[in-house]
Amino acid sequence: MLKRPSYCLLLSALAVFSCTKTTPPAGTANGGRSEKLGSHLQYANPFMGTGPLNDPKDMGYTTPPDWRGAWAGLVFPGSSLPNAMVQLSPITEFHTGAGYDYEDSVIVAFAHTNKGHWNLCHLPVLPVTGGANAKGDYSSRFDKKTESASPGYYGVMLQDYGVQVELTSTLRAGFHRYRFAQKDNRSIVFKLAQSNERVTNWAMEKVGDAAVQGFQETGRQTVFFYGMLSENIQNLDVRGPGTKDGLAVLHLPDGGKKPVELRVGISFVSIENAKQNLAQEIGSRSFEQVRRAAADTWETMLARVDVKGGTPKQKEMFYSCLYRSFLWPALRSDLNGEYRDTKGNVVKADFNYYTEPSLWDTYRNKDVLMSMLAPEASTDVIKSLHDVGKKTGFIPTFFHGDHGAAFIAGAYQRGLTNFDVQDVYRLLLRNANVEGGTRPHIKEYIEKGYIATEEAPNPQVETKGKAGVSKTLEYAFDDYAVAQLAKILKDTANYRTLMARSKNYRNVFDSGTNFMRGRLANGQWVKNFNPEYPYYEYMYREANAWQVSFFAPHDMPGLVKLYGGPQAFEAKLDSLFTVPWNPSYIARNVSGFIGQYCHGNQPDHETPFSYYFIDKPEKSQRRLDEIMERFYGMGKNQLGYSGMDDAGEMSAWYVFSSTGLYPFSAADARYIVSVPVFEEVQWHMPGGKTLTVKHTGTGRNLRSIQVNGTANQGYFVPYALFRDGGEVAVITQ
C-alpha cells in the first residue's frame, strides 16, 4: 500500500479498458503540424516559440558561454486543451523554463503538466526497451524529422528504443500511444523523483492487472494519478520509493503485437478523483477519438478570429500566437467540483477553479483577450481569485504589482459581471491600503506618494532592492483600475482618493534627466544613475530607466505634459528607439532591442503606441511593423521569440497588434486602432455578434478610421463594437 499524505483517499476498485485498433500517425517531418487539420488549425504551430535565440544581432549582446542564449519563448510543444489541467509534453531537460528546447536532441521523459515558467513538469514517464543506457539513465535521442505536433497532439520516434510515441489529452487526462518496434523487454519508466519543482515525496503501486496509481509531492503541491494500460502489467519495480534518486519501472509482458496505450488521469486532490477524471473524460474512447475531440476544440477556439490576406508567415504567427494565448491559467478543480484551496483544504464549488494568472505579464493583453473570447472561463478565473481573497484577505497577484485590479476592472466593463463584484471590490481596496498583503510597501507609497530606493554605491544587475520606481508606476496604474470599479459602484470618496493617487507616477519623474528615477526616502534623487543599465529589482523590475519611463497608460496626456509637451515627448520617444543598446549590459530576460526599447520583456510593451498621444500614429506603425517582423519567428529555424512568452503575453501582443486593435489600458474597455497586417479580420464573439476590421489602402500610414461608415473621433474604439458587432475601416495611405 502506498505511503501517501493523510488526505489521500485509498482505492481498491479496478476498471479494465479494452484495446482499440488505431491508425498510424499522420504528421509532417521536422517539427511540422499534423496533416488533415481544420482550416484554422493548420496554421497553428506548437513549436513556435521553442527555438533558441542566440544571435548577438537579435539579442543585443553576446551570451556568456554557459548560457543557452536568451530565454526565448520558453514554451512547450505538447498536447493540451485550452486552460486545461494537463499539458502532456516532451522534456529534454528538467529545471529549464518549459523543460523543452527545440535544438536539443535527447528526450528524457513526457510530463503531464507545463507552463513554461520553471515549475510544474509533473509525472514524467518514458517508454523504453531494455535497461538503462550507457550513461546510467533512461533517455533517448530523437531525430527532428520524426517530430510532429498540432494543437492537441504530439508525436516523435525515440531513436534509442525504437518506440514511436504519440500523445493527446483531455482537460484532466493524458493519453499515450506507444508503438514498440521490439516486442520483448518493453517497459514504461515513471520518473516520479523528477519535475521542474523539488520533489519531496512520491509513491506508486500496481492496483490491478492493468492499473497503477500514485502521487508526486513537491513543496508547492501534490499531484495524484491513476493510470490504465491497454494490456496487463507483468510487474512493477519501484526503486527507492520517495527518494530523490528513485524511479518506478513498469514491465510489460513479452510478445506484445498491438500499440501500447497508457491513459493517465490526474488530480490535485486525490487518487480517487484522478480515477474519476480518467473514467469520465477518456473512458473507453480510442486515441483517435480523443485526438479528434482535442483538434475540434482548438478549431472552434481559433475560428473565433478569421483573418484574410497577409503572408503565410503572418498567418502562421497569428494562429500560433492565438493558440498560445489560451494555455494558461490552468484548471485545478476536478470533474466532481473539488479542488485544493489556497489553505490546502479540499473544498467543492459550482465553478471551475483555476491557477492564478501570470498577472504581471498577462494583465496588459492576454487576460483581456481571454475575457473577450472565453468569458465563462475568465469569470471562473475571477471567482478563483476571489476564493483566494476570501481566505487570505487579499486578491492575489503574480510576481509584481497588483494587476488583478486591472484584469477584474476591465473584465467587468466588458460584461463579465457574474461574480460578487462588491466583495471583490472590498478586497481590492484592502490590497490598495493595507500593509502585509498584495502590495509590499503600500504604507510608504501612501505616505510619500512613491516607494523609496536606497542608494547603492555600485549597483549591478542583481543588486537587491524594492524595485521602487517600477512599483510606484504600477501601483499608480492599479489605483486607477480600482478607481474604475469605485466609480461603477458609486463609491465617490474612494474614487476621488484613488484617482488622486493614480497621479503618483509623477513623483518618480526627474525633470532634470527626463527619466523615471529612483528617489531616496528624503526626497532626493539617487545619485548613482545610469538610465541604460538594466536591473532585476534595484529601482526597476527587469528593466532600465528608458524602458519604464513611458508607463502611464491611464494618463498619457498627463505624461506628455510632464515631459514638456508634444515636441519634447516626441524627441524622447525617438531617442528610446535610436540610442543603441550597450552590448556589455547583459540581463538574461532583457533582450531583443530597437535602440533601448526591449521587446523581450513586458515593461515597455505599450510604449510603441505612445506616438498616438502626440498625433503621430504613423511613427507608432513603423515600430509596430518592425517588431512584428523582427521579433516573432526568429532564428535559424524561425521558431524563436525575442523573449519569454510569459504564459501568452508575448503571443497576445502579436494577436492584438496584427489585427489593428490593442487594449492600451487593460483597466478600460476601449482599444487603440492601428493598421492590421491583414486585409480583413473578423472577430466572431461568443455572444453571436461579429466585428469586422477592414484595411483599405496600400500604405501603412493611418489616415482615418471609420466605424460603421461614420468617421471616428480619435484613435480609440469602444468594446461595445465587439459586443454589438459592426465594422471598423482602417484607411491608410
Side-chain angles (χ1 to χ4, degrees):
M1 189 62 64
L2 295 182
K3 183 179 181 182
R4 297 188 293 272
S6 59
Y7 49 75
C8 180
L9 300 175
L10 301 179
L11 292 176
S12 59
L14 170 65
V16 179
F17 289 80
S18 62
C19 181
T20 306
K21 185 176 181 180
T22 54
T23 57
T28 56
N30 196 23
R33 276 81 70 216
S34 296
E35 297 171 349
K36 299 180 181 178
L37 301 177
S39 59
H40 300 83
L41 209 63
Q42 63 183 313
Y43 296 110
N45 184 356
F47 291 103
M48 189 61 66
T50 64
L53 180 63
N54 46 32
D55 188 333
K57 291 183 293 185
D58 293 332
M59 295 186 60
Y61 48 79
T62 301
T63 57
D66 59 332
W67 285 18
R68 175 199 179 206
W71 279 341
L74 296 189
V75 297
F76 63 91
S79 175
S80 179
L81 293 187
N83 303 106
M85 184 182 293
V86 166
Q87 300 84 29
L88 184 52
S89 192
I91 303 296
T92 61
E93 181 183 0
F94 284 106
H95 307 296
T96 61
Y100 177 93
D101 295 334
Y102 186 80
E103 71 274 22
D104 287 348
S105 59
V106 173
I107 288 176
V108 299
F110 301 98
H112 287 79
T113 65
N114 211 305
K115 179 189 176 184
H117 230 284
W118 294 279
N119 51 15
L120 304 180
C121 298
H122 297 117
L123 310 178
V125 302
L126 185 74
V128 305
T129 54
N133 57 29
K135 295 187 296 182
D137 64 12
Y138 293 93
S139 62
S140 175
R141 294 169 296 165
F142 70 104
D143 189 328
K144 302 301 292 188
K145 294 179 181 179
T146 71
E147 194 178 33
S148 63
S150 63
Y153 173 82
Y154 174 86
V156 71
M157 171 64 77
L158 298 180
Q159 182 177 332
D160 293 336
Y161 298 120
V163 183
Q164 172 68 43
V165 175
E166 294 182 274
L167 310 174
T168 189
S169 58
T170 63
L171 286 173
R172 302 171 181 86
F175 201 148
H176 308 235
R177 183 164 66 185
Y178 308 141
R179 300 176 189 273
F180 289 87
Q182 180 177 316
K183 305 307 178 186
D184 300 332
N185 208 6
R186 303 168 302 153
S187 304
I188 303 174
V189 178
F190 286 71
K191 298 185 176 184
L192 298 179
Q194 294 182 278
S195 81
N196 263 15
E197 301 170 357
R198 185 175 68 89
V199 178
T200 57
N201 192 17
W202 65 270
M204 179 174 172
E205 66 180 347
K206 182 172 174 282
V207 289
D209 291 339
V212 293
Q213 65 185 27
F215 69 87
Q216 184 183 55
E217 183 177 355
T218 71
R220 299 185 181 194
Q221 57 212 321
T222 300
V223 187
F224 302 90
F225 69 93
Y226 186 88
M228 292 295 303
L229 270 294
S230 58
E231 58 184 71
N232 289 344
I233 301 167
Q234 179 174 296
N235 70 288
L236 177 65
D237 179 14
V238 180
R239 306 171 187 174
T243 67
K244 66 177 183 178
D245 298 318
L247 51 77
V249 182
L250 186 157
H251 297 284
L252 300 171
D254 291 342
K257 296 180 180 179
K258 296 180 180 179
V260 175
E261 295 180 344
L262 171 64
R263 301 164 169 89
V264 180
I266 75 169
S267 166
F268 289 80
V269 172
S270 68
I271 290 176
E272 184 177 53
N273 282 9
K275 181 180 180 182
Q276 182 182 18
N277 291 340
L278 176 62
Q280 293 189 28
E281 289 193 355
I282 293 184
S284 60
R285 288 196 297 163
S286 72
F287 184 93
E288 295 301 338
Q289 287 173 322
V290 174
R291 178 186 175 185
R292 175 44 56 190
D296 290 345
T297 297
W298 278 113
E299 174 62 21
T300 299
M301 174 63 75
L302 299 179
R304 291 179 181 173
V305 189
D306 273 317
V307 299
K308 298 178 182 178
T311 66
K313 178 182 178 181
Q314 287 168 338
K315 279 191 174 180
E316 180 184 33
M317 284 308 316
F318 178 79
Y319 284 108
S320 298
C321 287
L322 188 60
Y323 161 73
R324 285 266 166 241
S325 299
F326 287 91
L327 292 170
W328 195 264
L331 183 66
R332 284 295 177 265
S333 54
D334 295 319
L335 273 168
N336 62 8
E338 291 182 344
Y339 61 92
R340 199 169 295 278
D341 70 8
T342 191
K343 297 293 188 180
N345 299 316
V346 176
V347 295
K348 192 170 185 176
D350 60 357
F351 63 91
N352 284 323
Y353 188 79
Y354 288 91
T355 59
E356 294 160 14
S358 296
L359 286 164
W360 189 65
D361 313 299
T362 59
Y363 82 92
R364 62 191 79 226
N365 51 39
K366 178 248 178 290
D367 296 330
V368 175
L369 184 64
M370 185 173 169
S371 72
M372 294 163 57
L373 297 183
E376 292 183 1
S378 295
T379 298
D380 283 349
V381 171
I382 294 173
K383 290 180 178 180
S384 302
L385 294 173
H386 186 204
D387 185 79
V388 175
K390 287 187 290 186
K391 294 165 183 176
T392 64
F394 301 94
I395 296 293
T397 193
F398 174 83
F399 188 60
H400 205 252
D402 182 21
H403 301 317
F407 166 47
I408 294 169
Y412 193 82
Q413 294 173 79
R414 293 182 194 94
L416 273 63
T417 59
N418 185 26
F419 62 94
D420 187 348
V421 66
Q422 289 283 356
D423 199 54
V424 169
Y425 171 64
R426 174 186 68 83
L427 291 166
L428 287 173
L429 281 177
R430 282 182 54 81
N431 284 16
N433 292 287
V434 178
E435 190 69 58
T438 301
R439 298 198 198 186
H441 315 294
I442 190 62
K443 184 173 182 291
E444 178 185 25
Y445 171 81
I446 294 171
E447 291 174 352
K448 288 188 170 68
Y450 67 94
I451 296 171
T453 297
E454 295 184 7
E455 185 85 54
N458 184 31
Q460 302 298 310
V461 170
E462 298 190 16
T463 295
K464 299 299 180 184
K466 302 177 186 176
V469 177
S470 291
K471 277 190 174 67
T472 301
L473 297 173
E474 294 181 37
Y475 287 179
F477 174 68
D478 299 331
D479 286 337
Y480 171 84
V482 182
Q484 304 318 296
L485 281 180
K487 184 178 181 180
I488 292 169
L489 299 175
K490 303 186 185 309
D491 183 356
T492 304
N494 275 309
Y495 172 75
R496 290 173 177 169
T497 298
L498 290 164
M499 285 300 290
R501 280 170 44 175
S502 75
K503 307 296 185 183
N504 282 344
Y505 71 90
R506 300 179 298 190
N507 296 332
V508 289
F509 182 78
D510 173 20
S511 60
T513 61
N514 273 1
F515 284 107
M516 301 292 177
R517 182 175 181 178
R519 199 168 182 180
L520 305 177
N522 64 9
Q524 296 179 354
W525 299 111
V526 166
K527 295 181 177 64
N528 192 346
F529 177 66
N530 178 353
E532 297 181 18
Y533 198 81
Y535 302 105
Y536 287 149
E537 58 182 75
Y538 179 69
M539 289 194 285
Y540 314 106
R541 173 60 74 183
E542 298 184 6
N544 67 12
W546 279 104
Q547 292 149 11
V548 305
S549 289
F550 300 92
F551 184 84
H554 58 297
D555 187 25
M556 290 301 290
L559 184 68
V560 171
K561 185 176 180 180
L562 203 60
Y563 272 96
Q567 188 173 354
F569 186 77
E570 181 179 6
K572 192 70 174 183
L573 263 179
D574 289 345
S575 296
L576 169 72
F577 292 105
T578 55
V579 172
W581 183 261
N582 188 328
S584 66
Y585 294 165
I586 301 175
R588 192 161 197 162
N589 53 347
V590 182
S591 59
F593 303 103
I594 303 174
Q596 294 292 309
Y597 173 78
C598 168
H599 200 68
N601 210 1
Q602 282 70 32
D604 57 355
H605 274 190
E606 293 83 7
T607 304
F609 295 94
S610 296
Y611 285 106
Y612 274 78
F613 298 93
I614 54 171
D615 204 29
K616 295 288 182 70
E618 69 280 359
K619 281 195 165 186
S620 282
Q621 195 61 55
R622 285 198 288 274
R623 294 307 179 189
L624 295 173
D625 288 346
E626 182 178 5
I627 292 165
M628 286 187 281
E629 179 63 28
R630 283 185 55 188
F631 295 135
Y632 290 84
M634 304 174 70
K636 177 183 177 182
N637 300 106
Q638 297 186 342
L639 294 174
Y641 282 2
S642 60
M644 289 178 59
D645 190 42
D646 274 320
E649 190 280 340
M650 189 79 72
S651 292
W653 189 98
Y654 187 95
V655 169
F656 280 121
S657 298
S658 66
T659 56
L661 296 173
Y662 191 88
F664 186 79
S665 165
D668 295 303
R670 62 178 192 162
Y671 300 75
I672 200 166
V673 179
S674 60
V675 182
V677 301
F678 305 104
E679 297 171 9
E680 182 176 299
V681 180
Q682 290 186 334
W683 293 81
H684 305 294
M685 303 304 292
K689 300 295 184 178
T690 295
L691 172 61
T692 301
V693 181
K694 290 185 176 181
H695 174 205
T696 301
T698 58
R700 300 295 297 167
N701 292 336
L702 179 63
R703 188 180 69 183
S704 64
I705 303 165
Q706 291 186 356
V707 176
N708 295 329
T710 302
N712 190 65
Q713 299 300 311
Y715 298 114
F716 285 88
V717 295
Y719 174 74
L721 285 171
F722 288 99
R723 182 192 65 219
D724 301 333
E727 180 178 295
V728 175
V730 181
I731 302 168
T732 65
Q733 59 183 12

